[in-house]
Amino acid sequence: MSEQHGDAEATERQWREAAGREDLVLLDGFHALKHALRFGADVRLAVAEEPEAVRGLARELAPDVEADVARLVRQAPLKGLLARVHPTGVAALAVRPDRAEGRARLDARRRTAPIVVLDNPRNLGNVGAVVRLAAGFGVTGVVTRGDLDPWHPNVVRAGAGLHYATTVDRVELGTLPPGPLYALDPEGEDIRSLTLPDDALLAFGSERHGISPELLARADHLVSLPMRPQVSSYNLATSVAMTLFHWGGPRPDEWSADRPVD
């Protein structure tokens, strides 16, 4: 057996036993694994058809986590374990962050960055794109209302593993975190005339239906994005990006040089 990490069949059995656990999250692809490791995820197992190729990717693209990748990745037949194999040829399982700890961060009274609220989102890829934006802007978290699971594997895939760089949770109307609620609505005040506070809740509806009446009723401010007439809407992630850019984003002195987010 050439792989020092052990027998491929034993690894496959271990994966199958772990994959059904609700406390573990599928990290699909190298970038998801890289980001999860950078932001402190407890990665329990990583598998690849060609472990040496994955170690080479780490050496080239993410030397800061190269040692962790080299330690974790084991050989296993991905096509037998996954419905779809990522082009980078690697997948991993990581422990889902503690929900109570995440909720405490959301409920903190002196937040230094907003929380993004997604009201009944429908598209898994869009939610993942929003998580990726949230991580890049350093927001406190992303919370969703509705039946979509923000930790669905397709959301984590679209978010490139950056769920571990922020707080992601599902909430009800009555359990929204504290803070002034700014709801994005076409009838709202032009965002360019406003200053968004650091402790704001920034609420976005689905592209088709907008924000629900019950959440609009809770809003402290209605806010609109500039858009030419006859254009019906922006993509959800585009709206979030425009709003977070207007808020201002992270300051250079808030970032550690050894925590890249590429």
Side-chain angles (χ1 to χ4, degrees):
M1 186 71 64
S2 60
E3 275 297 315
Q4 63 176 350
H5 293 290
D7 177 74
E9 292 184 358
T11 299
E12 183 177 357
R13 286 195 300 271
Q14 185 179 358
W15 178 280
R16 292 187 186 282
E17 291 171 0
R21 288 173 47 181
E22 293 185 357
D23 63 325
L24 294 182
V25 176
L26 173 64
L27 302 173
D28 192 14
F30 177 75
H31 297 295
L33 173 60
K34 168 190 71 177
H35 283 138
L37 287 170
R38 280 178 176 167
F39 290 97
D42 179 4
V43 178
R44 295 296 176 88
L45 179 63
V47 294
E49 295 274 3
E50 300 180 17
E52 283 305 320
V54 175
R55 294 176 187 129
L57 277 177
R59 191 161 47 248
E60 177 184 358
L61 301 177
D64 55 309
V65 296
E66 179 186 358
D68 288 325
V69 172
R71 171 179 56 84
L72 287 165
V73 69
R74 306 178 188 179
Q75 198 279 328
L78 292 187
K79 290 182 180 179
L81 300 177
L82 302 171
R84 179 176 59 173
V85 177
H86 192 274
T88 55
V90 62
L93 295 171
V95 176
R96 183 165 173 167
D98 183 82
R99 192 174 187 185
E101 291 180 2
R103 185 69 213 199
R105 288 189 291 271
L106 295 173
D107 287 340
R109 292 288 177 176
R110 295 185 178 180
R111 295 193 303 266
T112 59
I115 293 170
V116 173
V117 180
L118 302 182
D119 189 33
N120 199 31
R122 310 311 305 160
N123 185 285
L124 297 167
N126 277 344
V127 176
V130 169
V131 171
R132 194 166 185 173
L133 281 165
F137 274 93
V139 306
T140 298
V142 176
V143 298
T144 64
R145 292 186 63 236
D147 56 8
L148 184 147
D149 178 8
W151 281 88
H152 187 283
N154 288 354
V155 180
V156 178
R157 178 186 176 114
L162 284 163
H163 282 59
Y164 290 89
T166 186
T167 298
V168 180
D169 202 359
R170 181 162 45 181
V171 300
E172 302 297 335
L173 188 64
T175 59
L176 283 171
L181 178 59
Y182 288 73
L184 274 288
D185 184 85
E187 303 303 317
E189 186 176 354
D190 191 316
I191 194 171
R192 292 170 292 187
S193 67
L194 298 172
T195 297
L196 300 176
D198 290 344
D199 64 344
L201 305 180
L202 305 176
F204 302 83
S206 66
E207 293 159 26
R208 176 170 295 183
H209 301 293
I211 292 180
S212 61
E214 63 268 25
L215 188 59
L216 278 178
R218 290 279 301 271
D220 299 294
H221 307 274
L222 298 184
V223 183
S224 65
L225 296 171
M227 185 168 57
R228 67 181 292 183
Q230 299 179 313
V231 175
S232 58
S233 68
Y234 292 119
N235 172 273
L236 174 61
T238 300
S239 297
V240 174
M242 295 169 69
T243 304
L244 291 179
F245 185 82
H246 179 77
W247 162 63
R251 293 178 291 274
D253 60 356
E254 293 177 343
W255 295 103
S256 170
D258 62 352
R259 296 295 288 273
V261 293
D262 58 310

